[in-house]
Amino acid sequence: MALGVLEYFFWALLIFAFAMEAWALFDSLTVPANAYQAASKQSKKLWTILLGVATVLGLGFAVIPLQGVSPIGALLGILPVAAFIVAAVYLADVRPAVKQFKNRGNQGGRSGPYGPW
């Protein structure tokens, strides 16, 4: 099956969405669990599960055009849109809130055995 220009564009959107979902999942794994609580957000466990499912869905939909399915039809479904929304909410709302707690113990890399100096 030969893809047209519009189908390549939609396939690029699916790949971009997967990249955002993977980035959000990786970022959520690097944030300490107590940072979510301190920022009054949902738990790390919930965000990791949501973003893990979103990343798996994103990967599935990003490679679906390789099976001969039109990326336009895949992108217009509810699942890839929901997966992208989960990642977008994390990156736009949760990530900025927990970012201030992310590297709290590392004050510019100058840390001695009893704390920063």
Side-chain angles (χ1 to χ4, degrees):
M1 176 178 142
L3 297 178
V5 175
L6 188 61
E7 290 174 326
Y8 277 117
F9 174 73
F10 279 100
W11 193 5
L13 287 178
L14 287 169
I15 293 170
F16 175 74
F18 167 66
M20 275 191 57
E21 293 151 2
W23 173 34
L25 175 63
F26 177 76
D27 187 73
S28 75
L29 292 173
T30 62
V31 175
N34 58 359
Y36 293 90
Q37 213 172 26
S40 298
K41 299 297 176 185
Q42 296 293 328
S43 69
K44 177 179 182 165
K45 184 177 181 180
L46 177 69
W47 278 111
T48 304
I49 291 170
L50 288 174
L51 291 168
V53 170
T55 303
V56 169
L57 284 173
L59 176 62
F61 282 103
V63 299
I64 204 166
L66 298 175
Q67 313 321 351
V69 178
S70 172
I72 296 172
L75 188 63
L76 296 177
I78 189 73
L79 290 177
V81 173
F84 179 78
I85 289 173
V86 167
V89 167
Y90 177 84
L91 292 172
D93 182 42
V94 179
R95 184 174 186 258
V98 298
K99 188 176 184 179
Q100 62 183 336
F101 303 105
K102 192 172 183 178
N103 294 325
R104 186 139 295 212
N106 187 7
Q107 307 263 336
R110 299 181 315 199
S111 180
Y114 303 108
W117 53 277

